Amino acid sequence: MPAALLDLITPSVSEPRLKRYQQEPFASPQAVIARYLWNIDLAEALYPTLNAFEVALRNNLSRQLIEDFGDGWYEDERFHAILHKSTKRQLEGLLEKFHRENEQREKRGEQSKPVTSDLVVAESRLGLWASMFYRHYNEAYWLRSSRLKNVFPGASNRERRIKSIARMISAVHELRDRAAHHEPIFNAPNLRRTHQDARTLIRWLNPKVEQLLDQFDHFPQVYERPFTEYEKIVTDVAAHL
């Protein structure tokens, strides 16, 4: 019966996608579907943590950029000068998008929408913010000032190390992208550690946000949920075909 269920869902999910949940050559249809369901459950459980991390990182870092380059930091040549080429292209593309949208509004006789720091923060991708902590910026921006302390006020002096922060942000960023694009994460290396890294980063960004997260972050419980429960779901659904 699970085999019939697999045949029925394959057109909507796609065979190449489902094959990524076939961990062994002769995995049963029941195991493949169960892993797919488990992956969905894990991605859902990660959402509060990944959301809190991304929002806190964007806002803490944007405040530092305003302090360094002014309210229009996103257009400041000094800021653009320290950006990696790919990050600079991403930011320029976003600003061009805002300008095109305003031109279209003006053609329709509508009022244009001011480009502000808040708008850039809201519309930009996590990659723009995460890239600010990678190797290219270590000496140019972070190591010779109190910027890390300003962005991560909840971290101790011992914890506030650019290399470890960059490693953690890179892992969380990759996990966030995989989860957001519905990719397999159930077999991601160090999945629990990456979740814990995200929680640690949130605490360093704002301890109060991390305390709030305690109330609705149920990722550890989902991660520890017996796989047999997902197999039972598949069996129950297949029984009603």
Side-chain angles (χ1 to χ4, degrees):
M1 294 294 283
L5 177 60
L6 183 61
D7 289 340
L8 289 172
I9 69 172
T10 295
S12 294
V13 180
S14 87
E15 185 174 353
R17 181 176 293 275
L18 285 170
K19 278 192 173 182
R20 301 178 72 177
Y21 297 89
Q22 185 176 350
Q23 291 295 284
E24 55 277 341
F26 301 103
S28 68
Q30 183 181 25
V32 172
I33 301 172
R35 286 195 190 99
Y36 182 71
L37 296 179
W38 184 37
N39 199 74
I40 292 173
D41 214 8
L42 287 169
E44 179 188 30
L46 281 169
Y47 179 81
T49 297
L50 296 177
N51 176 274
F53 160 73
E54 181 171 352
V55 171
L57 181 69
R58 289 181 182 206
N59 286 291
N60 280 26
L61 182 49
S62 66
R63 282 195 298 273
Q64 182 61 47
L65 294 178
I66 289 172
E67 181 178 323
D68 290 335
F69 305 108
D71 291 339
W73 56 268
Y74 44 87
E75 293 181 320
D76 193 288
E77 293 182 1
R78 295 169 299 164
F79 175 61
H80 282 238
I82 68 171
L83 291 177
H84 188 273
K85 289 182 179 179
S86 61
T87 308
K88 183 178 179 180
R89 285 195 299 268
Q90 183 183 149
L91 178 58
E92 289 174 341
L94 182 62
L95 296 176
E96 289 172 3
K97 170 179 172 288
F98 293 151
H99 293 316
R100 285 196 306 270
E101 290 173 348
N102 276 334
E103 288 177 355
Q104 293 170 0
R105 289 188 183 96
E106 291 172 359
K107 288 180 180 179
R108 296 193 299 265
E110 300 172 359
Q111 186 174 0
S112 61
K113 188 175 184 178
V115 178
T116 64
S117 178
D118 287 343
L119 181 63
V120 175
V121 171
E123 295 291 331
S124 57
R125 297 178 181 178
L126 176 59
L128 186 151
W129 307 96
S131 69
M132 288 291 296
F133 296 91
Y134 299 160
R135 183 175 300 174
H136 175 72
Y137 303 102
N138 287 356
E139 294 182 4
Y141 189 72
W142 292 111
L143 293 184
R144 298 176 183 174
S145 72
S146 60
R147 293 186 178 106
L148 274 182
K149 185 176 181 179
N150 294 339
V151 177
F152 297 96
S156 67
N157 290 334
R158 180 180 59 82
E159 294 169 327
R160 206 177 291 119
R161 296 288 184 267
I162 185 61
K163 287 185 178 180
S164 60
I165 288 174
R167 176 194 61 77
M168 294 163 70
I169 288 178
S170 177
V172 176
H173 179 206
E174 181 179 354
L175 178 60
R176 182 264 182 203
D177 281 357
R178 291 181 67 85
H181 291 92
H182 317 297
E183 298 294 331
I185 59 172
F186 72 95
N187 58 350
N190 303 313
L191 181 58
R192 287 202 66 173
R193 177 182 174 181
T194 304
H195 167 262
Q196 190 54 55
D197 282 348
R199 289 293 304 259
T200 298
L201 287 166
I202 293 166
R203 183 173 69 253
W204 291 351
L205 288 160
N206 190 323
K208 290 302 179 184
V209 172
E210 211 256 345
Q211 288 176 17
L212 286 173
L213 199 56
D214 282 336
Q215 306 304 312
F216 51 92
D217 177 14
H218 59 282
F219 173 80
Q221 292 88 337
V222 173
Y223 186 84
E224 296 295 339
R225 188 177 182 184
F227 187 66
T228 53
E229 292 187 16
Y230 297 95
E231 291 180 313
K232 184 179 184 304
I233 293 172
V234 176
T235 301
D236 290 345
V237 173
H240 292 86
L241 293 179

